[in-house]
Amino acid sequence: MKYILILAITVLLAACSKDTLNSNSNSTTQNGLGGSLARFTLAGNYMYVIGDATLKTFDLTNPASPILKNSITIGTNIETIYPYKDNLFIGSQTGMSIYSITNPAAPKLAGSALHVRSCDPVVANDTAAFVTLRRGSSCGSPNDGLYLYRITNLLNPQLVNTLNLSTPYGLGLKDSTLFVCQGSTGLAVLNVNKIAAPVVLKTITGSDFRDVIPFGNLLVCYVTDGLALYDISNISNIQLIKKLMN
């Protein structure tokens, strides 16, 4: 099922990804793209892959011949990776870690925030990181919820607020709008302009939502029976474009 999502994103980005890569060949400040439940991501000319306890760095300058540049142990029960500018936000069952990729070939720990054991997708922007915690036999969190961190100081992320959201899975961020997948409960749309006071604007129903990637005015949703594509050019009037069944 996840291969369908990867294929769809590849098609969407095919027209621009090569030019973007070439024009930023020496920089990691171009945001990478990936779902919040991803176990690998791209940033600049590098691919970062997480294992249960490791972070591997591959040089893709020649995409036909990836070169393993670095492999480091970063903890245990590592689950997700999300890129933003010169940082990787890595979620585990026990917390969130931030790795600097100012030197893209050698990620370096910049900060971390620990919490109770939980499934742990992460997305972020310049000042905030958003983490979902979900109960489950493999995760062990006592409560479902959205955790909002202030990360103006990467060395010391500060938990600002928590919001009770049932069965949260993956999430995606566009400007000040956060999309949180809640399985069969739906897709929550929140205004997080003020992270101390997030506001749920609406909940989109009709599918079992698991992960989401905002791409410009398009929202690509991984649902249990395929993909759902939404027009998000007007957040107050989000429209379903098409559903691609598995």
Side-chain angles (χ1 to χ4, degrees):
M1 178 61 226
K2 287 189 176 181
Y3 295 107
I4 298 177
L5 181 58
I6 294 170
L7 176 61
I9 296 301
T10 301
V11 171
L12 290 169
L13 300 181
C16 63
S17 60
K18 185 175 180 180
D19 290 339
T20 300
L21 185 64
N22 291 339
S23 65
N24 291 280
S25 59
N26 296 316
S27 173
T28 57
T29 56
Q30 178 71 24
N31 290 349
L33 183 67
S36 65
L37 297 177
R39 296 189 66 84
F40 71 94
T41 193
L42 302 174
N45 282 343
Y46 288 82
M47 178 171 68
Y48 302 93
V49 181
I50 54 171
D52 182 63
T54 60
L55 172 62
K56 296 181 183 295
T57 303
F58 293 87
D59 186 339
L60 301 183
T61 302
N62 180 0
S65 300
I67 300 172
L68 176 63
K69 300 294 288 186
N70 198 8
S71 179
I72 57 176
T73 300
I74 59 174
T76 58
N77 298 315
I78 306 301
E79 294 187 328
T80 63
I81 184 170
Y82 179 81
Y84 186 75
K85 294 189 176 179
D86 284 335
N87 296 292
L88 300 174
F89 292 81
I90 296 176
S92 73
Q93 289 184 8
T94 56
M96 172 187 67
S97 298
I98 304 170
Y99 279 78
S100 170
I101 49 173
T102 302
N103 178 359
K108 183 178 180 180
L109 181 65
S112 62
L114 300 180
H115 49 63
V116 294
R117 287 175 58 84
S118 178
C119 300
D120 194 16
V122 181
V123 297
N125 59 23
D126 288 330
T127 59
F130 306 90
V131 181
T132 56
L133 308 184
R134 188 181 75 256
R135 291 175 295 182
S137 58
S138 64
C139 301
S141 174
N143 297 299
D144 292 339
L146 172 68
Y147 282 46
L148 302 93
Y149 291 89
R150 181 172 288 111
I151 57 169
T152 46
N153 179 359
L154 288 176
L155 299 177
N156 187 27
Q158 297 293 315
L159 179 63
V160 175
N161 199 357
T162 61
L163 186 66
N164 292 328
L165 289 177
S166 64
T167 60
Y169 287 84
L171 65 171
L173 182 65
K174 180 192 177 185
D175 301 325
S176 60
T177 303
L178 183 70
F179 303 91
V180 181
C181 296
Q182 294 184 258
S184 59
T185 302
L187 177 70
V189 182
L190 298 89
N191 183 304
V192 291
N193 185 51
K194 297 180 180 179
I195 62 171
V199 177
V200 178
L201 301 176
K202 65 179 69 178
T203 300
I204 298 171
T205 59
S207 294
D208 190 332
F209 294 87
R210 296 306 175 99
D211 204 8
V212 60
I213 299 176
F215 181 66
N217 289 325
L218 180 68
L219 189 69
V220 183
C221 299
Y222 161 42
V223 295
T224 53
D225 57 353
L227 291 175
L229 308 179
Y230 289 87
D231 179 350
I232 55 172
S233 57
N234 182 353
I235 295 299
S236 64
N237 187 29
I238 296 173
Q239 296 290 323
L240 176 66
I241 299 172
K242 179 181 287 188
K243 191 169 183 180
L244 307 174
M245 305 300 288
N246 185 13

